[in-house]
Amino acid sequence: MKETSLPTRIDPKQFEERLYNEWLEKKYFHADENSNKPPYSIVIPPPNVTGSLHMGHALNNTLQDILIRFHRMKGYEVLWLPGTDHAGIATQNVVEKMLAKEGISRHDLGREKFIERVWKWKEESGGQIINQLKRLGASCDWDRERFTMDDGLSNAVRTVFVTLYKEGLIYRANYIINWCPRCHTALSDLEVEYEDKEGALYYIYYPVEHSDEKLLIATTRPETMLGDTAVAVNPNDDRYKHLIGKYVILPIVGRRLPIIADEYVDMEFGTGALKVTPAHDPNDFELGKKYGLEEINVMDDSGIINENGGKFKGLDRFEARKRIVEELKELNLIEKIEKHEHSVGHCYRCKTVIEPRISMQWFVKIKPLAEKAIEAVEKGEIKIFPEMWTKTYFEWMYNIRDWCISRQIWWGHRIPAWYCDECGHINVDYKDPVSCEKCGCKQLHQETDVLDTWFSSALWPFSTMGWPEKTKTLEKFYPTSCLVTGFDILFFWVARMIMMGLKFMNDVPFRHVYIHALVRDQYGQKMSKSKGNVIDPLIMIEKYGADAFRFTLAAFAAQGRDIKLSENRIEGYKNFVNKIWNASRFIMMNLDGSLDSIDFDALEMEDKWILENLAETGNKVEKHIKSYDFNEAANEIYQFFWHRLCDWYIEFIKHRIYNNVNKKNALAVARFVLEESLKILHPFMPFVTEYIYKNLTNNETITFGPYPKHEFNFKDDFESIEKVIAFITNVRTVRGEYNIAPAKMIDIFVKCGDDFKNLINEKSEIIKKLAKIGNISFTGNEIEKSAVQVEKDFTIYIPLEGIVDLEEEIKRLEKEKKSFEKDIKVYGKKLQNDEYLKKAPAHIIDKDKKKYEEAKIKLEEIEKSIERLKKLC
């Protein structure tokens, strides 16, 4: 039942969950593939099933929900398809840690039992993030929720794998890959995170065979020398030309290594001589292939030195490094050790330092797929926002390497390949083979590796809609309209979806890609548990409500700029939610249940002004949402509601309401403007707008709008009220500058033309009320000992005698001036101290800079005020 007023105070806990459940119950978010409405669709970047809501998710899904709710209100048939990713390595790690607490490992259970345990965990504990997204207000079509290992998606994965294999685009080969010794699996290039670390550059002598000469080589990883099979120099390097074709003796190991020449060697780095370890460096691997060098793997899959490491067998790679360096020193084969900062690759999951390693793996031959994906962006079939990411996309796509898709774990889509025990032939087909297609043998065993998680995610836009079946959902909603994602998965996921969409759907998977920035702390630092600067979205929602939290994220989501977030900012927008509540409550209390329509023939000037503002705001917000300028859209509606509607229009009409002067029409306009404002706000603040809207109108929900689209022709009246506002603002400015008490009534003189004089006379009552003016007199002369405000249409004189004690005011300001001069001296001294700037944390220095700049601005204002007052004395 519709209420006629709102409670005195807003409490989001009283309505957020109730409203969300009502939306679900009434299927407001369900997409109808049989609808005649134009389609608008987004597939959610599927969060890991192990995940919980963090700031990146909160921003990403808030922006998606704004787009979804906006287009739903614009009359589109909207599909926001949700789901979660099985997250192979991450999920396996979670379950393995649980097993470790029970004193067992996955190997104790065996593959099938372990997979059962993962599924059990998924059903009981996985997917909590879905409920957290609901707390945020995400209006997904939950009836269509998918999981990357659903039967349907598994069928899609198999179809794609087999098709690519039969076309020769998937192959198996020995190749150097990134290996995580902790997770015991291969990682693609994109799953390696590089971090600058201070290490060392070791200068080691390699004795030249049959000579007293020693070749000096620089390396950052001495432990890999156990696998050296050559030394390389640049053929143009005069220092080493006489050594090309000779041999060196590998220290400690004693192996003969040929000295080869290749232009790949950088003559400027280190000594210009390079140790070549084909089994433990990707560049050395390529050199090894080129010159037919032996590949000697000296580590096992845990990063422990193996039998090829001789006396160092059984040592961890980093311990082996220490022992090797010690022995080289004893042999006088170390010239020096220099500090050296270099980029070190880490596993994106467990942060272990990765180890390049030769291994038999499955790969996708990527260049044929990449060519069409490049063309799609070049032709504008896909547009990337902000534009700067397009260049990054091209740079990566033009230099793309084959994609290693096999992972040595158990949880995931198992590779559908069977090896014949008799002839070794690999059998790959759409159905499990019962015999070898080559020799007929029935003794087959399946590949134990699973597919990279990103392989199934690459199919997400069409596999979730039923592909390889030709479904109505696909027909209606593919390609999707937009993808909202972070820049960190532009290549992990976005590029691969484009490649797979073009390959299997003959169309791009989405028309637009919006890349949002990072959410950092208030000082611009990355949020991390170790720094203790993480802001938990769920705590913020609990404390301030989902609407305030969402609006804060949108208000700071400027294209290409990271968000500096603090709890104070969320609290600030909670005040905006309170403002919306209180303004709505004021209007509804005075309506007393009335739903009178506007009498357009009886509109006052301010009524036309607010209607014109409303139309302009709706158009601007729509434009900004469509161009993904979320911060601009949020700012437009904030400025309109807080300042134009609350600060001015409601204040304009209060005297009409209280004095019953054209009251009915004032309230009809106010009710209409409030209703339309709630619609503009709804994509950003779904809960509070729904609650107020249901109580303001006879309508069931605000969900379907329609989104405001108005055109009025009130430009003249609009300009007139803008002039009235400027007039009141100028008077208020003087009151503030001269510290005139808010309740003190003042008399003013105005010099202006007849048109403006008529306007003031017409609106004198409201002007006097809002500017606290006793009398307004018109003059053609200057008024002495007055504060003066000059504008294009008017000059205001405010006599200060008897209102302001000029001498006392000067004394007060002089006292304030000294205080700010002291601040400038203190902070200026700190900011000129090099030692302080080196040692103090960045956020403390930023705070000091801010205080210094604020003090300078205040001092300048005070000096101007003193100067003004002295002229009046």
Side-chain angles (χ1 to χ4, degrees):
M1 183 178 167
K2 185 173 79 69
E3 300 169 19
T4 56
S5 65
L6 302 175
T8 310
R9 297 177 71 83
I10 180 175
D11 181 4
K13 293 187 187 76
Q14 295 294 316
F15 56 80
E16 284 188 353
E17 187 179 358
R18 175 171 61 79
L19 287 176
Y20 198 87
N21 289 334
E22 192 177 300
W23 291 333
L24 293 181
E25 187 186 320
K26 295 186 176 177
K27 304 278 187 189
Y28 290 161
F29 309 153
H30 184 68
D32 179 7
E33 62 262 46
N34 297 309
S35 159
N36 291 323
K37 294 179 185 177
Y40 184 87
S41 58
I42 293 178
V43 290
I44 204 169
N48 288 354
V49 71
T50 57
S52 60
L53 194 71
H54 60 60
M55 273 301 167
H57 293 133
L59 172 64
N60 182 282
N61 287 283
T62 293
L63 300 183
Q64 286 179 82
D65 198 42
I66 289 169
L67 292 169
I68 287 294
R69 288 181 182 273
F70 168 78
H71 283 91
R72 196 179 279 127
M73 295 177 84
K74 288 294 291 180
Y76 288 81
E77 190 60 45
V78 171
L79 169 62
W80 187 12
L81 202 150
T84 49
D85 190 279
H86 66 279
I89 298 172
T91 305
Q92 179 154 318
N93 283 346
V94 167
V95 179
E96 283 196 81
K97 283 176 185 173
M98 287 170 54
L99 293 176
K101 288 178 184 175
E102 298 171 25
I104 57 174
S105 73
R106 63 182 165 115
H107 301 287
D108 296 326
L109 284 178
R111 186 167 193 140
E112 283 188 25
K113 292 286 183 188
F114 176 74
I115 297 300
E116 283 177 20
R117 282 294 294 266
V118 182
W119 276 110
K120 185 170 182 276
W121 173 86
K122 190 261 178 185
E123 297 307 317
E124 291 173 359
S125 309
Q128 65 166 328
I129 194 167
I130 294 298
N131 291 323
Q132 293 167 346
L133 287 172
K134 291 176 181 178
R135 288 284 312 276
L136 188 66
S139 60
C140 299
D141 186 346
W142 298 109
D143 295 336
R144 298 178 190 267
E145 186 185 336
R146 305 307 301 268
F147 179 55
T148 47
M149 284 181 64
D150 285 348
D151 288 343
L153 274 73
S154 295
N155 181 35
V157 166
R158 177 136 184 194
T159 303
V160 167
F161 183 93
V162 175
T163 303
L164 292 176
Y165 181 82
K166 288 183 180 295
E167 290 181 13
L169 291 173
I170 284 181
Y171 64 94
R172 189 169 180 259
N174 240 333
Y175 203 77
I176 191 148
I177 45 89
N178 307 298
W179 182 265
C180 175
R182 159 65 184 78
C183 298
H184 289 175
T185 187
L187 301 172
S188 73
D189 290 346
L190 295 173
E191 291 168 320
V192 178
E193 292 178 348
Y194 287 92
E195 201 177 317
D196 286 340
K197 294 270 188 183
E198 191 174 275
L201 199 56
Y202 301 85
Y203 288 80
I204 305 169
Y205 287 115
Y206 282 40
V208 178
E209 188 181 46
H210 309 310
S211 161
D212 293 333
E213 193 172 354
K214 290 174 184 172
L215 188 55
L216 189 62
I217 285 165
T219 180
T220 58
R221 297 194 300 155
E223 68 278 11
T224 63
M225 68 185 289
L226 300 172
D228 285 358
T229 54
V231 169
V233 296
N234 193 299
N236 303 311
D237 196 331
D238 292 333
R239 294 172 294 176
Y240 303 124
K241 280 183 178 178
H242 67 290
L243 294 174
I244 296 168
K246 294 184 179 181
Y247 288 81
V248 293
I249 303 301
L250 180 61
I252 302 174
V253 179
R255 189 184 303 131
R256 290 175 81 231
L257 308 180
I259 301 171
I260 61 174
D262 196 281
E263 290 191 348
Y264 162 75
V265 180
D266 182 355
M267 293 188 286
E268 302 300 318
F269 179 76
T271 65
L274 179 78
K275 62 188 276 305
V276 182
T277 321
H280 291 279
D281 184 277
N283 297 313
D284 292 5
F285 176 80
E286 298 296 341
L287 276 176
K289 289 289 180 200
K290 189 173 179 181
Y291 295 99
L293 300 175
E294 188 182 359
E295 297 162 351
I296 302 174
N297 182 9
V298 299
M299 292 180 209
D300 68 11
D301 60 8
S302 295
I304 305 297
I305 304 298
N306 63 19
E307 62 279 358
N308 293 327
K311 67 173 85 171
F312 303 103
K313 180 185 175 184
L315 293 179
D316 171 79
R317 54 188 166 152
F318 299 118
E319 180 59 29
R321 178 183 296 179
K322 283 185 200 170
R323 298 277 188 92
I324 289 166
V325 170
E326 284 169 11
E327 190 159 336
L328 288 168
K329 282 179 180 176
E330 287 170 12
L331 294 167
N332 290 319
L333 292 175
I334 293 247
E335 188 206 53
K336 61 180 175 177
I337 301 172
E338 285 181 346
K339 282 185 179 178
H340 175 65
E341 191 171 280
H342 61 134
S343 191
V344 180
H346 295 74
C347 172
Y348 80 117
R349 282 290 168 212
C350 69
K351 311 307 174 191
T352 300
V353 174
I354 61 104
E355 191 63 47
R357 187 170 187 255
I358 285 181
S359 177
M360 184 63 77
Q361 300 288 343
W362 290 86
F363 293 87
V364 173
K365 198 179 287 181
I366 210 78
K367 288 210 168 176
L369 299 171
E371 285 166 5
K372 286 189 176 179
I374 290 167
E375 194 180 309
V377 176
E378 283 177 338
K379 286 184 173 178
E381 292 170 29
I382 296 174
K383 288 184 180 174
I384 300 175
F385 300 83
E387 171 65 25
M388 64 180 188
W389 288 108
T390 307
K391 185 184 174 188
T392 311
Y393 172 84
F394 286 137
E395 282 172 359
W396 187 76
M397 292 295 278
Y398 277 118
N399 295 291
I400 200 167
R401 283 170 54 173
D402 283 359
W403 173 16
C404 177
I405 56 170
S406 44
R407 298 291 180 269
Q408 290 67 50
I409 56 174
W410 290 352
W411 173 244
H413 293 281
R414 195 166 173 182
I415 290 176
W418 280 259
Y419 302 97
C420 176
D421 293 347
E422 185 69 32
C423 70
H425 178 69
I426 301 174
N427 296 268
V428 174
D429 214 331
Y430 297 102
K431 292 188 177 177
D432 294 2
V434 292
S435 61
C436 176
E437 63 186 2
K438 188 176 181 183
C439 72
C441 174
K442 294 194 175 180
Q443 301 302 312
L444 306 173
H445 66 277
Q446 190 178 354
E447 169 65 78
T448 55
D449 289 358
V450 301
L451 287 164
D452 174 14
T453 302
W454 297 102
F455 190 91
S456 48
S457 299
L459 321 181
W460 187 250
F462 54 92
S463 64
T464 50
M465 296 190 197
W467 187 91
E469 301 299 321
K470 289 183 178 177
T471 65
K472 282 189 175 181
T473 307
L474 269 173
E475 189 182 336
K476 177 79 175 177
F477 294 109
Y478 188 95
T480 62
S481 309
C482 178
L483 178 78
V484 178
T485 187
F487 66 84
D488 52 335
I489 54 173
L490 180 58
F491 313 121
F492 271 115
W493 189 47
V494 180
R496 288 166 178 171
M497 281 191 288
I498 295 170
M499 288 187 266
M500 293 300 186
L502 287 164
K503 173 69 179 170
F504 291 96
M505 292 295 297
N506 295 313
D507 202 347
V508 295
F510 24 73
R511 298 298 181 200
H512 291 170
V513 178
Y514 173 73
I515 309 285
H516 62 74
L518 285 174
V519 184
R520 298 181 178 273
D521 73 8
Q522 60 186 311
Y523 306 113
Q525 295 184 328
K526 194 172 181 179
M527 290 187 187
S528 70
K529 288 179 183 176
S530 60
K531 288 179 185 170
N533 63 349
V534 172
I535 299 175
D536 187 326
L538 294 164
I539 292 172
M540 295 301 102
I541 291 170
E542 184 68 22
K543 200 168 177 181
Y544 300 108
D547 292 315
F549 177 62
R550 287 168 57 113
F551 198 86
T552 308
L553 292 175
F556 289 97
Q559 285 194 26
R561 223 168 49 223
D562 287 347
I563 293 173
K564 291 181 181 179
L565 188 68
S566 68
E567 189 171 338
N568 287 342
R569 285 179 162 171
I570 302 166
E571 190 174 10
Y573 284 111
K574 174 70 166 78
N575 294 335
F576 181 40
V577 179
N578 289 340
K579 190 81 169 176
I580 294 164
W581 185 269
N582 292 333
S584 303
R585 187 170 178 272
F586 171 80
I587 292 168
M588 289 168 68
M589 278 170 56
N590 286 286
L591 282 170
D592 197 24
S594 166
L595 290 176
D596 292 327
S597 57
I598 298 169
D599 180 355
F600 279 88
D601 293 328
L603 290 177
E604 300 281 349
M605 216 178 271
E606 60 268 20
D607 300 332
K608 295 175 182 178
W609 174 80
I610 196 65
L611 289 170
E612 195 68 45
N613 264 297
L614 172 72
E616 185 182 16
T617 301
N619 291 338
K620 282 183 177 177
V621 173
E622 177 170 344
K623 175 180 163 247
H624 291 316
I625 290 175
K626 285 179 175 177
S627 63
Y628 306 105
D629 293 305
F630 296 99
N631 62 315
E632 299 286 352
N635 185 57
E636 282 293 340
I637 186 61
Y638 177 89
Q639 293 297 330
F640 171 76
F641 201 101
W642 189 302
H643 297 298
R644 294 192 275 281
L645 177 58
C646 296
D647 288 354
W648 290 109
Y649 183 69
I650 288 176
E651 293 303 317
F652 279 147
I653 64 170
K654 274 181 181 175
H655 82 286
R656 288 165 61 185
I657 294 169
Y658 298 148
N659 299 315
N660 203 16
V661 178
N662 202 354
K663 173 183 175 180
K664 195 173 175 183
N665 219 28
L667 287 170
V669 171
R671 189 200 63 76
F672 173 77
V673 171
L674 174 59
E675 181 180 333
E676 298 301 275
S677 301
L678 292 171
K679 290 176 187 175
I680 300 170
L681 270 163
H682 179 69
F684 300 87
M685 296 182 173
F687 293 106
V688 70
T689 52
E690 174 82 334
Y691 184 87
I692 297 170
Y693 182 84
K694 284 164 75 74
N695 288 294
L696 177 70
T697 70
N698 282 323
N699 299 327
E700 188 179 89
T701 181
I702 199 172
T703 304
F704 303 102
Y707 190 85
K709 192 75 179 173
H710 298 294
E711 278 188 37
F712 300 106
N713 191 19
F714 301 140
K715 291 294 180 190
D716 291 343
D717 296 278
F718 178 86
E719 293 298 330
S720 295
I721 291 296
E722 287 291 311
K723 289 174 184 176
V724 169
I725 289 170
F727 188 86
I728 294 167
T729 302
N730 272 272
V731 176
R732 286 176 173 176
T733 298
V734 172
R735 297 185 72 103
E737 283 176 354
Y738 292 95
N739 204 28
I740 300 170
K744 179 80 175 174
M745 300 299 283
I746 57 173
D747 294 336
I748 69 169
F749 291 85
V750 183
K751 183 162 46 168
C752 62
D754 288 341
D755 288 345
F756 195 77
K757 183 178 179 181
N758 293 335
L759 178 61
I760 290 176
N761 285 331
E762 187 177 342
K763 290 296 171 187
S764 64
E765 192 172 348
I766 191 64
I767 290 170
K768 287 177 180 178
K769 181 177 178 294
L770 295 182
K772 297 289 195 302
I773 297 169
N775 290 305
I776 301 174
S777 304
F778 295 96
T779 181
N781 304 313
E782 291 187 9
I783 309 296
E784 290 185 3
K785 292 198 175 182
S786 295
V788 184
Q789 290 290 108
V790 181
E791 290 285 345
K792 178 187 164 190
D793 296 296
F794 58 82
T795 301
I796 300 172
Y797 298 96
I798 302 175
L800 297 176
E801 250 183 321
I803 296 174
V804 178
D805 186 327
L806 299 178
E807 289 183 4
E808 279 301 313
E809 185 62 14
I810 290 169
K811 281 180 190 175
R812 185 185 71 79
L813 290 172
E814 290 283 5
K815 196 174 177 182
E816 271 192 48
K817 180 184 172 185
K818 283 177 185 174
S819 172
F820 285 113
E821 284 173 338
K822 185 182 175 184
D823 284 350
I824 288 167
K825 189 177 179 182
V826 170
Y827 291 114
K829 195 175 179 182
K830 282 171 86 175
L831 293 168
Q832 286 171 351
N833 184 331
D834 290 337
E835 281 302 306
Y836 171 74
L837 294 174
K838 278 180 196 171
K839 292 176 182 176
H843 69 276
I844 298 293
I845 294 169
D846 286 344
K847 201 181 276 187
D848 288 347
K849 281 180 181 174
K850 193 176 177 184
K851 284 179 180 175
Y852 178 71
E853 292 302 326
E854 283 173 356
K856 278 175 66 180
I857 291 165
K858 280 287 182 188
L859 181 65
E860 192 179 334
E861 287 174 3
I862 287 168
E863 286 175 337
K864 283 180 182 175
S865 295
I866 291 170
E867 193 62 34
R868 254 194 321 267
L869 288 166
K870 282 181 177 176
K871 284 180 181 176
L872 294 171
C873 284

